[in-house]
Amino acid sequence: MGRSPSSAKNGLKKGPWDAEEDKKLADYIQKHGPGGWISLPKLAGLNRCGKSCRLRWINYLRPDIKRGSFTPEEEQTILKLHAVLGNKWSAIATHLPGRTDNEIKNFWNTHLKKRLIRMGYDPMTHEPRADLTACLRLLAVNNLSNFLNHNTLLDVNAIKLQFLKQILQSTDVGLPNLVSSISSSPAPDLLPKENPILNSLSQLENQSSFSLGATIPQPLHHPISTTLLSNPTLQSDPQVPFPPSFQTVPFDGEVGQFSAFSQGDNLTDSISQWDFQSVTDFVPSITKETTTTSISNHGDVTSSSSLIQCGGDGGSSSPWREIFFDDSILQ
DNA sequence: AAGCGTCCCAACCGCAGGTTG
DNA sequence: GCAACCTGCGGTTGGGACGCT
């Protein structure tokens, strides 16, 4: 394993270390201590460059090196620290006794980074990838538009036009933005003032946590991370605000909640795995209100039944899942 | 069993920052 | 102030191990 033992330009040996070299280096450092890496090879009788000796000592021979795979706690620590520090491997290593920066870096590149990518996160920012987020938002807007299509009381074309307008104008087509824009849109002639859809959407808007972006598990943002790191209690709490999937679960051949992602990076699976549950936790009640509003405002069986149908099942399936994600694309 | 592709990780490389004379 | 040297860091490489066909 490792690099080819090609000889260096200056005749110094390169490539994997053999047992004899390891012993020479270890013996020398045991007697004289680490340091003086430039002169060390000569003094220790090694035909290696100082850098190579230093690296071998730090990454392999040091007595306090911890061997074996990373524990779930260590993985968690790496994820948290990386969210704050980025690729500062040496800084991260100081929080993991017995682990070297090289080892952590390798572990990140071969496991954690891939895991984040599969989950749809940008491994550098720890935030949902912008392309996926935008895709989800457009799908949601599309589904909402389709939903409105079935509402015969409304001037569907007018609403569509306004949706389109919003999509084109905004780079961040979050539903709240959309709602407020529609609500404040100077088109009184096109939209009835007592519009059940707008009423319900406005209620959604008031749910501060609701946005299509918020349906995606939010990564740890740096300020929070900083707080976490400075708070020993939180540090030790594995439930700190990482996305649920971040809670270290066996992966990569491993089983666990990531399994859907590992199956060919299927976007649909990924989306469904992205815990829209968090939306359904609060949305059903809103939908019920919507139904009530719809009926009281208009007394129209058609419109209300449409809404009731969405929320009427009251069971485990979410009406919002139908409204926003009941799409053939997501099937 | 052989060929092929992917994974994993030790080790190398280049660069930046600090120290010394 | 400057150059040379030293140390440490992060990115990258390359080859053995392993799994799949």
Side-chain angles (χ1 to χ4, degrees):
Chain A
M1 192 180 285
R3 304 203 128 219
S4 61
S6 58
S7 57
K9 296 169 189 171
N10 52 9
L12 296 175
K13 186 180 175 186
K14 293 169 71 176
W17 284 61
D18 58 36
E20 188 184 352
E21 288 176 311
D22 280 347
K23 187 175 186 310
K24 280 183 181 176
L25 181 59
D27 286 348
Y28 181 88
I29 290 177
Q30 198 168 15
K31 287 178 186 171
H32 303 91
W37 298 107
I38 299 299
S39 57
L40 184 148
K42 195 176 181 180
L43 295 172
L46 289 162
N47 189 29
R48 296 269 184 177
C49 71
K51 282 179 84 169
S52 182
C53 293
R54 177 184 160 272
L55 217 58
R56 183 64 177 172
W57 172 255
I58 288 177
N59 289 335
Y60 193 82
L61 294 176
R62 229 172 55 196
D64 58 334
I65 293 286
K66 188 195 276 187
R67 297 280 167 204
S69 53
F70 283 80
T71 66
E73 290 73 25
E74 286 175 321
E75 290 185 24
Q76 197 77 142
T77 302
I78 294 170
L79 281 168
K80 288 178 183 177
L81 289 170
H82 189 272
V84 182
L85 301 169
N87 293 358
K88 302 290 180 188
W89 308 118
S90 60
I92 293 172
T94 61
H95 293 265
L96 294 164
R99 301 295 189 182
T100 68
D101 53 355
N102 203 40
E103 197 177 9
I104 293 168
K105 178 174 60 183
N106 282 333
F107 184 64
W108 172 266
N109 286 329
T110 57
H111 292 91
L112 300 181
K113 186 177 172 183
K114 290 176 184 175
R115 188 180 302 178
L116 286 179
I117 290 171
R118 268 199 290 263
M119 290 166 60
Y121 285 91
D122 184 326
M124 293 314 294
T125 63
H126 290 236
E127 291 178 9
R129 281 159 55 188
D131 50 347
L132 288 179
T133 306
C135 177
L136 282 175
R137 288 176 174 175
L138 287 174
L139 283 171
V141 168
N142 177 58
N143 285 338
L144 185 56
S145 179
N146 287 342
F147 165 73
L148 293 173
N149 240 343
H150 294 97
N151 201 316
T152 56
L153 274 187
L154 302 174
D155 185 334
V156 174
N157 287 335
I159 294 177
K160 276 183 172 179
L161 279 174
Q162 293 194 34
F163 269 116
L164 271 176
K165 179 184 170 189
Q166 291 302 321
I167 292 169
L168 292 172
Q169 285 182 345
S170 173
T171 56
D172 183 16
V173 199
L175 188 56
N177 296 341
L178 211 52
V179 171
S180 66
S181 301
I182 291 172
S183 302
S184 60
S185 174
D189 297 333
L190 297 176
L191 294 173
K193 284 182 179 178
E194 291 296 317
N195 185 318
I197 300 298
L198 290 186
N199 285 345
S200 57
L201 291 179
S202 295
Q203 289 176 31
L204 283 179
E205 184 186 9
N206 292 332
Q207 300 279 338
S208 61
S209 61
F210 183 86
S211 79
L212 293 172
T215 63
I216 298 169
Q218 294 301 299
L220 193 59
H221 292 289
H222 293 193
I224 302 174
S225 313
T226 309
T227 307
L228 283 173
L229 291 171
S230 61
N231 185 330
T233 308
L234 290 176
Q235 279 184 46
S236 61
D237 183 2
Q239 301 303 320
V240 196
F242 274 97
S245 306
F246 273 34
Q247 306 309 322
T248 313
V249 172
F251 196 53
D252 275 351
E254 322 151 19
V255 232
Q257 57 195 113
F258 302 120
S259 56
F261 287 89
S262 63
Q263 293 169 359
D265 287 346
N266 183 306
L267 178 62
T268 306
D269 286 346
S270 302
I271 290 169
S272 63
Q273 280 286 308
W274 269 0
D275 216 2
F276 288 116
Q277 195 66 40
S278 58
V279 180
T280 66
D281 284 346
F282 62 81
V283 167
S285 61
I286 297 170
T287 310
K288 285 170 188 170
E289 290 177 25
T290 301
T291 303
T292 307
T293 305
S294 172
I295 294 171
S296 63
N297 282 351
H298 296 278
D300 182 271
V301 177
T302 309
S303 64
S304 60
S305 66
S306 167
L307 290 163
I308 288 170
Q309 189 179 4
C310 290
D313 126 308
S316 58
S317 69
S318 159
W320 281 97
R321 201 180 286 272
E322 290 182 35
I323 293 172
F324 287 108
F325 308 109
D326 183 16
D327 190 298
S328 58
I329 298 174
L330 296 175
Q331 294 299 313

